[in-house]
Amino acid sequence: MTLYGLMLAMECKSYLEIGASMGGSVIVLADAAPKRVVVVDLFEDKSRRSLETALCMIKADVVCGVEGDSTLARTVERVAEYAPFDVVMIDGGHAYDTVASDFRNYGPMARKAVVFHDIAQPGVKKLWTEIGGGLEISAKGTTMGYGVVFKND
Ligand SMILES: C[S@@+](CC[C@H](N)C(=O)[O-])C[C@H]1O[C@@H](n2cnc3c(N)ncnc32)[C@H](O)[C@@H]1O
């Protein structure tokens, strides 16, 4: 099972990605979210051009890149204008405080699932353990891997 396959199986229509870097994951996963795709990122110089190009290539009805620190209230408010999302992926800052903040702020915007990337990284792993884990996709033996928490409603 891939995350892309899981999103198709869940009939995902809208997708939020916190931390998009050069757009490598969003350019693929956006194909499983035809209605709305939003990313939050710092848009660092080293990745800005690639990410902007990736966003231009996405064919969803609504595509938006929100530039800013995901932990700031003004960033959360801008993203909330597009909420809810079927799937929210958290892959921004991997320090515990940052990932916990992202889960607190953007987790409630997810209708079907919250996905964490790099669940074997210490900060993410700590939160993943605290919340009781969930479905793990290709995490074994690496510092990467997705962790999926399904929403009940
Ligand atoms: C691991 S990379 C994302 C990789 C991407 N999801 C992929 O798989 O192709 C993390 C990204 O999050 C961004 N980032 C880190 N801390 C952030 C924060 N507090 N707010 C927004 N973006 C942040 C970084 O600049 C970087 O672009």
Side-chain angles (χ1 to χ4, degrees), residues 50-117:
S50 175
L51 178 54
E52 288 177 346
T53 302
L55 294 177
C56 285
M57 293 170 69
I58 292 170
K59 293 186 173 62
D61 295 346
V62 174
V63 180
C64 180
V66 175
E67 180 174 347
D69 184 332
S70 63
T71 64
L72 299 181
R74 65 170 177 268
T75 307
V76 180
E77 284 162 17
R78 286 177 61 201
V79 175
E81 293 171 22
Y82 298 91
F85 303 91
D86 288 331
V87 173
V88 171
M89 209 250 274
I90 296 175
D91 192 20
H94 287 32
Y96 173 80
D97 287 349
T98 306
V99 74
S101 168
D102 288 346
F103 183 53
R104 200 167 47 244
N105 288 324
Y106 303 102
M109 296 185 192
R111 274 194 294 231
K112 297 186 177 180
V114 179
V115 181
F116 296 92
H117 197 199

Side-chain angles (χ1 to χ4, degrees), residues 17-26 40-44 47 68-71 89 91-94 98 117-118 146:
E17 183 168 304
I18 308 299
S21 188
M22 300 175 82
S25 51
V26 74
V40 175
D41 198 89
L42 298 173
F43 283 76
E44 296 175 72
S47 52
D69 184 332
S70 63
T71 64
M89 209 250 274
D91 192 20
H94 287 32
T98 306
H117 197 199
D118 301 329
Y146 294 108

Side-chain angles (χ1 to χ4, degrees), residues 7-59:
M7 287 168 66
L8 288 179
M10 287 194 293
E11 299 185 343
C12 174
K13 302 287 183 228
S14 49
Y15 173 65
L16 168 66
E17 183 168 304
I18 308 299
S21 188
M22 300 175 82
S25 51
V26 74
I27 192 73
V28 174
L29 297 173
D31 193 54
K35 292 286 182 204
R36 202 159 59 254
V37 173
V38 176
V39 303
V40 175
D41 198 89
L42 298 173
F43 283 76
E44 296 175 72
D45 289 346
K46 64 184 179 189
S47 52
R48 172 183 294 276
R49 189 181 171 120
S50 175
L51 178 54
E52 288 177 346
T53 302
L55 294 177
C56 285
M57 293 170 69
I58 292 170
K59 293 186 173 62

